[in-house]
Amino acid sequence: MAASASSSLISSRSPLKLTSLSSLSWKFPVSVSLPRHQRRRASQVFIVLSMDAKPTVLVAEKLGEAGLDLLKDYANVDCSYNLSPEELCTKISLCDALIVRSGTKVSREVFESSGGRLKVVGRAGVGIDNVDLGAATEHGCLVVNAPTANTVAAAEHGIALLTAMARNVAQADASIKAGRLFLLCYVVDFIVQVHENVIDAGKWQRNKYVGVSLVGKTLAVMGFGKVGTEVARRAKGLGMHVIAHDPYAPADRAHAIGVDLVSFDEAIATADFLSLHMPLTPATSKILNDENFAKMKKGVRIVNVARGGVIDEDALVRALDAGIVAQAALDVFTVEPPPKDSKLIQHENVTVTPHLGASTMEAQEGVAIEIAEAVVGALRGELAATAVNAPMVPAEVLAELKPYVTLSEKLGRLAVQLVAGGSGVKSVKVTYASARAPDDLDTRLLRAMVTKGLIEPISSVFVNLVNADFTAKQRGVRISEERVILDGSPESPLESIQVQIANVESKFASAISESGDITVEGKVKDGVPHLTKVGAFEVDVSLEGNIILCRQVDQPGMIGTVGSILGEENVNVSFMSVGRIAPRKQAVMAIGVDEQPSKSALKRIGDIPAIEEFVFLAL
């Protein structure tokens, strides 16, 4: 090795040309488009756009006037609301861009019906559940969202529901108005008698609607992102004790506002109030279910302004009927609008609003401006910082880097799974060893894939070349890069890639290198990604399927013992590799398995006397 050179996450790189996206001509250098309220000094990255006529933007749901004005300065704007799926598919072939909120489903059929003309879909809000991202990417369509403008509005609505629920505001209001209506129906002929009936009916029910105080109560914020953080700040101002659960939130950011990060089980077991702010992912879908409701403190109160799908709504009704959950205040639902005969909606201890989290005048205008700027930028050929899918990469570049792209993502996934829960990932270093000069190797795609591996498993965000830096920055993760320049032939783009996570605890102590960081390293051999180093231990296993890492006393029979346990459980072993410090000392065994072993099988492995620690890692 001869020399090394470092660069930060945002560092500029040598030009990289992209193939065209339909009628768009993409060319570097590129300017990254940021919303007005986020603009600082933007680094130059790209663009040339060739388009014969003024583009057409279809706005399928209501958008603020400020956003519409921005769009009209650049494009023909067609505001057509409440379109049926069939009507949308008919119109879309005449449009270059589509802007929606949460109520319009942008399905594969929409992209297929566009005939390749649709260049960008703008989601005026955060979630992209209603957009088929896979189909968008397949059809060369950029998808952008507006993730920042409605943060405060959503947090304020969460607090509004929290306080209204605690003091029975909605129920008391409905009770009084029901009594007033009864009075007006009969006031002409029976004014005295009806007044007596109203009092007897108890519509002025002060005793029934006695609430609970917030001061001194424990609020668990489930998901400590932008909205969750703002809810925590406001709840602290109300005198609440605030804890939070988010396995990848930095502890120092939470501590800075007086919030303690705890495990999921501790959060739901100790909270008087739960406020949900996690994304809807396979891991969080129906995460509040019968099993987890049973772990909660009796009388807990729940607020949800995140995504309806994170709650099993039938289980919530059962928990309300059983008294485990005293009240719930919900702004979002699994199906929107929910069925009129929904037991949850009709429940007397449930307060509901029709997805109003972002519905303030200020937020609506902010979202409108943010999404309009992103869409116009994309139509001009600029890569928006809020893009959630990637442009096409030249075939020749992708062909050469393809195995390294896979290696980068899997090293990121391995590294983050080695982090002990509660340790916030905030400092990551990626080291590339190569005989090529820095100008001959563009690593942006590789860095993006490491970021994808680190973040995507625990987030609803799709990480790619376009949004990797933005996503990492938003989550407080700083990714630095280092080049180690090797002597030799530059025919192969890379000799190895190493990923290090600093200042965290590891659930597998052997993954900690001499530098004190979690360290994993890999190479590409015969076109296949391999894991070649864990901590200080040299291994050699193909990064396919899943991996079990075991630290053991180096002694005869260990491979056979572990292999027999897995064989008895019908778990297929694809490979094994052992790296050791010295004979009869400590060793690390890496075992590739096609299926995830049962808990009992993993326990049997852990119970082997010579096994000092082990961890299962899903790739």
Side-chain angles (χ1 to χ4, degrees):
M1 293 187 286
S4 66
S6 297
S7 65
S8 72
L9 173 64
I10 312 298
S11 64
S12 59
R13 303 236 172 239
S14 57
L16 173 67
K17 294 183 179 179
L18 299 181
T19 55
S20 70
L21 293 178
S22 195
S23 65
L24 288 173
S25 263
W26 301 83
K27 191 183 294 183
F28 280 93
V30 181
S31 66
V32 177
S33 175
L34 291 170
R36 286 179 176 174
H37 58 286
Q38 285 187 318
R39 284 180 183 163
R40 294 183 186 143
R41 184 177 299 173
S43 38
Q44 287 294 313
V45 192
F46 93 24
I47 286 289
V48 170
L49 170 70
S50 61
M51 193 172 286
D52 296 333
K54 200 173 183 181
T56 297
V57 178
L58 172 60
V59 180
E61 296 181 66
K62 190 172 181 180
L63 195 69
E65 287 298 324
L68 291 175
D69 290 342
L70 282 172
L71 292 170
K72 290 173 182 176
D73 287 342
Y74 180 77
N76 299 313
V77 178
D78 177 0
C79 294
S80 296
Y81 306 147
N82 302 315
L83 294 174
S84 68
E86 294 76 18
E87 290 170 333
L88 177 59
C89 287
T90 300
K91 268 186 169 289
I92 204 65
S93 63
L94 303 175
C95 302
D96 303 283
L98 169 66
I99 294 179
V100 300
R101 301 188 75 85
S102 61
T104 301
K105 302 296 182 185
V106 189
S107 63
R108 177 172 292 275
E109 289 72 25
V110 173
F111 294 104
E112 291 174 348
S113 299
S114 75
R117 178 168 175 176
L118 188 64
K119 308 303 184 306
V120 56
V121 171
R123 163 66 168 96
V126 181
I128 38 82
D129 315 37
N130 55 321
V131 180
D132 188 329
L133 284 176
T137 301
E138 287 176 28
H139 288 79
C141 181
L142 196 66
V143 180
V144 295
N145 66 351
T148 60
N150 61 5
T151 296
V152 170
E156 288 178 345
H157 194 60
I159 292 295
L161 288 177
L162 181 78
T163 54
M165 174 178 63
R167 298 305 297 270
N168 299 302
V169 171
Q171 292 86 346
D173 174 75
S175 173
I176 293 175
K177 288 179 177 176
R180 297 291 183 188
L181 180 61
F182 182 62
L183 175 62
L184 290 173
C185 290
Y186 294 93
V187 70
V188 175
D189 297 319
F190 305 102
I191 186 166
V192 176
Q193 180 182 351
V194 171
H195 177 71
E196 292 173 352
N197 285 343
V198 171
I199 299 301
D200 291 342
K203 294 300 181 181
W204 186 266
Q205 297 170 299
R206 297 179 65 191
N207 291 334
K208 181 176 181 180
Y209 296 118
V210 173
V212 295
S213 178
L214 300 179
V215 173
K217 298 298 195 305
T218 296
L219 171 67
V221 177
M222 309 300 285
F224 202 63
K226 295 186 291 294
V227 178
T229 300
E230 293 302 319
V231 167
R233 292 181 193 276
R234 287 156 175 76
K236 292 286 290 184
L238 294 172
M240 302 187 80
H241 170 59
V242 181
I243 59 177
H245 170 71
D246 189 325
Y248 297 94
D252 57 350
R253 179 161 62 85
H255 291 159
I257 60 173
V259 174
D260 295 322
L261 289 177
V262 300
S263 69
F264 179 85
D265 284 345
E266 183 179 349
I268 65 174
T270 58
D272 300 301
F273 292 81
L274 285 170
S275 188
L276 308 184
H277 304 286
M278 70 272 285
L280 179 59
T281 68
T284 62
S285 178
K286 295 187 177 181
I287 194 169
L288 293 196
N289 49 33
D290 287 311
E291 179 183 356
N292 285 323
F293 283 128
K295 298 176 183 178
M296 295 180 187
K297 182 187 294 187
K298 186 175 177 64
V300 68
R301 290 170 167 83
I302 298 173
V303 175
N304 186 13
V305 294
R307 285 290 179 268
V310 301
I311 297 179
D312 182 333
E313 293 179 350
D314 292 335
L316 176 56
V317 171
R318 290 189 288 271
L320 285 160
D321 290 341
I324 296 172
V325 176
Q327 292 176 291
L330 311 173
D331 185 49
V332 288
F333 308 90
T334 302
V335 176
E336 294 185 359
K340 293 181 179 179
D341 60 351
S342 166
K343 292 182 179 179
L344 181 62
I345 301 300
Q346 301 300 328
H347 202 287
E348 64 177 349
N349 292 328
V350 175
T351 301
V352 294
T353 52
H355 205 146
L356 298 178
S359 296
T360 65
M361 294 175 62
E362 295 82 358
Q364 294 295 299
E365 287 299 291
V367 166
I369 292 170
E370 188 174 2
I371 199 61
E373 290 185 333
V375 167
V376 169
L379 288 173
R380 285 175 173 156
E382 300 168 1
L383 293 179
T386 57
V388 292
N389 68 341
M392 298 168 64
V393 176
E396 64 275 12
V397 175
L398 185 58
E400 182 179 53
L401 291 181
K402 185 175 181 180
Y404 299 96
V405 167
T406 304
L407 173 63
S408 298
E409 180 180 356
K410 292 192 173 184
L411 288 176
R413 286 181 180 272
L414 283 176
V416 80
Q417 289 181 75
L418 291 168
V419 176
S423 298
V425 176
K426 58 182 180 180
S427 180
V428 178
K429 183 170 79 171
V430 184
T431 302
Y432 310 99
S434 174
R436 290 190 180 179
D439 289 344
D440 293 333
L441 178 64
D442 192 301
T443 59
R444 282 177 297 180
L445 181 56
L446 303 180
R447 184 180 73 241
M449 296 308 288
V450 171
T451 305
K452 178 184 178 75
L454 289 167
I455 294 175
E456 195 173 75
I458 48 85
S459 169
S460 60
V461 174
F462 285 73
V463 182
N464 50 55
L465 175 63
V466 178
N467 68 352
D469 288 351
F470 177 80
T471 302
K473 184 177 180 181
Q474 289 295 102
R475 291 182 169 269
V477 180
R478 183 183 183 276
I479 302 181
S480 61
E481 294 179 291
E482 183 174 289
R483 303 287 188 90
V484 176
I485 303 174
L486 305 176
D487 296 326
S489 170
E491 181 177 345
S492 175
L494 286 162
E495 174 64 22
S496 66
I497 300 175
Q498 183 183 89
V499 176
Q500 294 174 283
I501 303 178
N503 305 316
V504 293
E505 297 178 3
S506 176
K507 62 177 70 172
F508 187 69
S510 300
I512 301 293
S513 63
E514 294 179 358
S515 65
D517 304 332
I518 289 177
T519 302
V520 292
E521 186 175 303
K523 298 182 178 182
V524 172
K525 298 184 178 183
D526 297 323
V528 178
H530 280 240
L531 176 66
T532 56
K533 193 172 186 179
V534 178
F537 292 88
E538 303 283 346
V539 296
D540 188 6
V541 293
S542 173
L543 286 173
E544 300 174 313
N546 305 295
I547 291 178
I548 301 171
L549 295 177
C550 302
R551 186 181 70 193
Q552 65 193 55
V553 176
D554 184 34
Q555 64 183 42
M558 290 302 299
I559 292 177
T561 302
V562 175
S564 295
I565 291 173
L566 294 173
E568 291 169 10
E569 294 281 338
N570 199 32
V571 175
N572 192 47
V573 176
S574 56
F575 48 78
M576 279 191 177
S577 174
V578 178
R580 61 186 184 179
I581 297 175
R584 304 284 178 168
K585 300 294 184 182
Q586 285 184 326
V588 164
M589 177 164 52
I591 309 159
V593 292
D594 292 338
E595 305 87 17
Q596 179 170 351
S598 65
K599 291 182 179 179
S600 61
L602 292 173
K603 184 178 185 304
R604 288 177 64 193
I605 293 173
D607 289 342
I608 298 172
I611 298 289
E612 298 175 340
E613 63 171 344
F614 77 98
V615 64
F616 173 81
L617 303 170
L619 295 179

